[in-house]
Amino acid sequence: MHFNELNLSEELIRAVDELGFEEMTEIQQQSIPVLLQGHDVVGRSNTGTGKTAAFGIPAVESITEDEKRSAAVLILCPTRELAMQACEEIRKFAKFKRSVKACAVYGGASMERQIMELKRGANIVIGTPGRVMDHIRRRTLKLEGLRTVILDEADEMLNMGFREDIESILSEVPEERQTVLFSATMPPEIMALTEKYQSEPVHIKIKSSQKTVELIQQFYFQVAMGRKTDALKLLLAAYSPDSAMVFCNTKKMVDELTEELVKSGFRAAGIHGDLKQIQRTQVMNSFKNRTTAVLVATDVAARGIDVSGIDMVFNYDLPQDNEYYIHRIGRTGRAGLAGKAFTLITGRKQLYALKDIARYTKAEISELPMPDKAYVAKLKTDALVKEIAEMDERPDASAFAVLDKLAENGIDYREAAARLISARLRSELAGLPEFEMPKPLKKGKRNGAKTVRIDLNIGRNKRIAPNFILGALVDATGMSGQDFGKIDIFDSHTTVEVPEDETDFILDSTNPMKINGHPVEVKLYKGSDKNNKKDRDRDFERPHSKHGKPDRRRAAFGNKKKTDMFGDYIPDRKKRMKKRH
Ligand code: ADP
Ligand code: MG
């Protein structure tokens, strides 16, 4: 269903068109008409299904000329980022509506500016509960004119402890009002809010379509610092996608990376918020018609981009927010097509951040080695065979004349074709960056992995137990409990066995650290007991089984579901190692 099938004003349809939205999402189809009629709504739908527009469009549409001077719609969001984003999107919907003034209020930003904006007659106010309360108490936000209150991500707001603020806001807003609540989950606390503050709400629940994240095969590559661009070039060359998106965190990075890729001969273009609308449209059109194969983008610029059939998404920079990860990779594999998402990782910290994303999205993200030259050559050869076999080029007479001439000079057809093919392959492989073969994975990490001890200046005298230590270390590093070994608590200090190659990371992330309220200093343990063979052979036995039995550390995060398709593409390391000699 298209937006123009609803009875929306022409100004709104224009704005939605400019955003590049075509079809409505399910939650939008179901909520927008009901909200426009003024009903209370409880909406449930997954992340990334367009809830902002689901409530934002009716909000913008409902503002009347009489409401020009004060707040009519209040939208509560759990974080300042979400408030800012929602405000930005609502402003876009309101682009051609002069009577709508949206304003975001959130903590950690200048109060004066927000007061100014409110005074200038903001009629859609988007804010975090705490700051909204602040403005209500100062009377800089007046509730008399409010007729719609929307709670976005209500469950998240409750989780964050905003219950009291929300309740006091709701009880102060005039009772004659529309109350709307969007939430990913419906715990009892939300039901209670609904009972207490809504009247005959319409319940809208969208079954989670597995579409997005589930159908997308997700991989990551670990590359050395400073080699991400090379890695990207190699991957683009190896897989030669018709259509790929590459995400960066900054506009500057988008520009630099695009320039690099273009210089290396890729059909790449960049898009970010500094481009003028006309440039954006040009870039988008060339990406849609496949003139541009690689679109480099920031998260903000990518919002609202809906190009179907994107083969792969690259996270050149790790997204700053777990939600962004879902939004980014959701670009590929649309409409039931399997897509692939690749994330480039440098350093331990990013690895753990990715692990966190995997946990949050409940996705499996598997490690792949960077393809080596032999492997890329194989891919290129396969592609060339396919290309020639499927060519509908009809050679004309002159081509055969060339072959005849060559034959006269003693070069037969086979030789001639082989020369052309190898020249083509050589040029395709020329100048490709190379990566060292990764070391074979250590089996189960701890077995055989070299360990050292770290020393914490806290001990029995502070009444600490091993699980306090382990908990604090896991918390500070994001590593798994199983990564830590034997914990020995002495009177005034404690030693913990850790994998040697994680030492720097651990020291880096644990200073400063507090355990049980005591500041703790973590150092490498110098009083080495390397002669104590018995001790070393205990091989990381953990004194506590709180975290369950140790499992072998896998190169994939998250829930193992199915074998990855790239198993076909990339022979496993052992086979490749053998082939090489
Ligand atoms: P949610 O709040 O449900 O997680 P958002 O409102 O943040 O989802 O929307 C996710 C992304 O989808 C945004 O980039 C938004 O601009 C885009 N989007 C929303 N509705 C549509 C639509 N009908 N067509 C295309 N893109 C859309
Ligand atoms: Mg949202």
Side-chain angles (χ1 to χ4, degrees):
M1 196 173 168
H2 193 279
F3 284 94
N4 59 19
E5 290 174 55
L6 292 176
N7 244 339
L8 294 172
S9 62
E10 193 235 331
E11 291 95 330
L12 236 160
I13 297 287
R14 248 171 85 201
V16 166
D17 269 350
E18 259 193 28
L19 279 171
F21 292 8
E22 283 160 13
E23 292 291 303
M24 273 186 278
T25 66
E26 252 184 281
I27 187 83
Q28 291 164 359
Q29 282 186 39
Q30 297 201 32
S31 327
I32 295 175
V34 180
L35 287 172
L36 284 173
Q37 285 166 14
H39 293 288
D40 282 6
V41 164
V42 180
R44 275 178 83 175
S45 178
N46 278 357
T47 297
T49 51
K51 290 190 285 289
T52 316
F55 61 74
I57 287 176
V60 167
E61 190 74 342
S62 66
I63 296 289
T64 62
E65 282 289 317
D66 309 340
E67 290 172 329
K68 258 178 161 164
R69 308 225 48 89
S70 78
V73 179
L74 174 65
I75 300 167
L76 297 176
C77 298
T79 66
R80 75 184 247 162
E81 282 72 29
L82 288 170
M84 276 156 55
Q85 269 179 40
C87 182
E88 225 176 275
E89 190 154 341
I90 284 171
R91 281 185 180 147
K92 287 185 186 151
F93 298 137
K95 185 169 173 192
F96 303 108
K97 287 206 165 217
R98 299 183 146 230
S99 48
V100 177
K101 275 209 185 85
C103 139
V105 301
Y106 42 79
S110 148
M111 202 73 186
E112 276 75 55
R113 227 190 104 188
Q114 295 174 5
I115 292 175
M116 278 281 280
E117 286 190 60
L118 289 169
K119 268 198 185 143
R120 273 195 224 128
N123 41 26
I124 300 184
V125 178
I126 304 115
T128 49
R131 186 51 76 101
V132 166
M133 274 305 288
D134 238 9
H135 282 288
I136 293 175
R137 282 198 212 98
R138 292 169 184 238
R139 298 281 304 150
T140 43
L141 173 60
K142 301 196 177 66
L143 303 178
E144 291 83 42
L146 266 188
R147 48 139 177 99
T148 299
V149 179
I150 299 165
L151 311 184
D152 187 20
E153 312 225 6
D155 50 350
E156 194 59 31
M157 287 199 282
L158 293 189
N159 286 341
M160 293 173 66
F162 285 134
R163 180 193 196 95
E164 259 179 58
D165 285 341
I166 291 174
E167 293 215 36
S168 65
I169 293 168
L170 285 175
S171 48
E172 285 177 45
V173 178
E175 266 191 50
E176 266 305 298
R177 60 150 197 262
Q178 181 184 35
T179 311
V180 181
L181 184 152
F182 280 92
S183 188
T185 58
M186 272 300 145
E189 303 82 57
I190 298 279
M191 305 294 272
L193 272 190
T194 297
E195 293 258 307
K196 204 161 158 195
Y197 297 103
Q198 290 189 303
S199 84
E200 297 174 33
V202 177
H203 285 260
I204 298 173
K205 185 180 174 201
I206 307 301
K207 277 202 303 288
S208 56
S209 65
Q210 296 199 317
K211 183 187 97 179
T212 21
V213 185
E214 297 244 318
L215 260 178
I216 299 166
Q217 300 174 318
Q218 302 167 53
F219 303 97
Y220 70 96
F221 296 90
Q222 294 204 56
V223 297
M225 202 73 92
R227 298 222 60 200
K228 280 203 295 187
T229 308
D230 279 347
L232 180 66
K233 286 183 196 168
L234 182 61
L235 293 170
L236 286 172
Y239 300 124
S240 33
D242 286 334
S243 184
M245 279 190 82
V246 178
F247 284 94
C248 300
N249 288 348
T250 62
K251 298 170 194 171
K252 189 158 167 270
M253 198 62 237
V254 167
D255 286 337
E256 287 173 10
L257 187 59
T258 307
E259 198 186 320
E260 264 297 313
L261 291 176
V262 170
K263 247 197 265 164
S264 306
F266 292 99
R267 288 178 289 126
I271 190 165
H272 56 61
D274 284 354
L275 299 191
K276 293 199 189 74
Q277 185 58 43
I278 190 161
Q279 294 171 303
R280 291 169 63 101
T281 312
Q282 275 168 359
V283 170
M284 283 317 301
N285 286 342
S286 83
F287 186 52
K288 276 185 188 158
N289 67 28
R290 303 282 192 267
T291 314
T292 291
V294 183
L295 182 68
V296 187
T298 56
D299 291 284
V300 174
R303 246 187 285 154
I305 293 180
D306 192 18
V307 178
S308 58
I310 294 177
D311 305 320
M312 33 190 80
V313 165
F314 290 88
N315 291 308
Y316 181 87
D317 288 324
L318 205 59
Q320 285 151 325
D321 185 308
N322 293 349
E323 288 282 308
Y324 286 177
Y325 181 82
I326 299 179
H327 286 181
R328 287 179 177 189
I329 72 167
R331 305 279 156 196
T332 181
R334 287 195 172 218
L337 292 169
K340 291 172 204 75
F342 299 104
T343 301
L344 299 177
I345 293 293
T346 52
R348 285 280 140 188
K349 276 193 181 157
Q350 294 195 357
L351 189 61
Y352 291 112
L354 185 68
K355 204 167 169 177
D356 191 53
I357 290 176
R359 210 178 302 129
Y360 176 82
T361 58
K362 302 191 175 53
E364 187 200 334
I365 310 178
S366 318
E367 181 173 14
L368 282 180
M370 284 303 294
D372 63 0
K373 225 175 184 152
Y375 176 62
V376 180
K378 180 189 175 300
L379 284 184
K380 291 286 174 199
T381 314
D382 293 350
L384 186 57
V385 169
K386 191 160 176 272
E387 182 188 323
I388 296 175
E390 288 173 4
M391 250 182 192
D392 45 12
E393 171 89 16
R394 297 209 167 191
D396 47 32
S398 61
F400 290 105
V402 171
L403 287 177
D404 288 341
K405 211 163 243 165
L406 285 168
E408 280 166 24
N409 291 313
I411 299 164
D412 69 359
Y413 303 157
R414 220 177 126 77
E415 173 72 17
R419 285 187 187 186
L420 290 174
I421 289 170
S422 57
R424 160 86 178 264
L425 286 175
R426 196 171 312 124
S427 86
E428 282 192 353
L429 293 169
L432 281 187
E434 284 195 66
F435 285 79
E436 269 175 44
M437 278 297 281
K439 289 172 230 120
L441 277 185
K442 286 173 218 125
K443 246 196 180 173
K445 191 96 194 171
R446 269 185 234 149
N447 308 328
K450 216 170 157 228
T451 66
V452 292
R453 278 162 188 262
I454 52 169
D455 187 53
L456 289 67
N457 63 346
I458 187 169
R460 219 169 278 132
N461 56 2
K462 293 283 190 321
R463 310 174 141 268
I464 51 142
N467 54 337
F468 292 178
I469 303 271
L470 189 64
L473 287 172
V474 167
D475 197 40
T477 58
M479 292 166 66
S480 131
Q482 269 116 44
D483 291 330
F484 297 94
K486 197 162 173 290
I487 297 175
D488 284 316
I489 301 184
F490 301 94
D491 274 343
S492 59
H493 75 117
T494 299
T495 63
V496 182
E497 204 172 5
V498 302
E500 187 180 34
D501 49 9
E502 311 273 1
T503 323
D504 287 344
F505 171 74
I506 293 169
L507 294 179
D508 209 33
S509 26
T510 49
N511 285 311
M513 181 168 79
K514 270 191 177 176
I515 299 180
N516 240 10
H518 303 289
V520 174
E521 208 177 299
V522 183
K523 287 199 288 234
L524 195 62
Y525 184 54
K526 290 290 200 272
S528 158
D529 48 12
K530 58 175 170 246
N531 294 324
N532 188 347
K533 187 170 185 316
K534 183 171 158 278
D535 204 45
R536 267 197 299 152
D537 282 352
R538 289 184 61 183
D539 192 32
F540 268 88
E541 191 174 278
R542 264 225 343 269
H544 273 251
S545 57
K546 188 172 136 224
H547 295 262
K549 65 175 188 325
D551 69 346
R552 277 211 296 130
R553 187 158 159 177
R554 281 185 289 140
F557 308 141
N559 322 331
K560 191 96 192 151
K561 277 178 312 209
K562 47 192 174 225
T563 56
D564 66 58
M565 189 177 120
F566 276 75
D568 292 330
Y569 279 59
I570 297 194
D572 76 29
R573 291 185 178 85
K574 251 189 246 148
K575 278 191 220 140
R576 286 168 67 204
M577 302 285 273
K578 252 191 231 151
K579 240 193 247 162
R580 302 181 108 212
H581 31 76

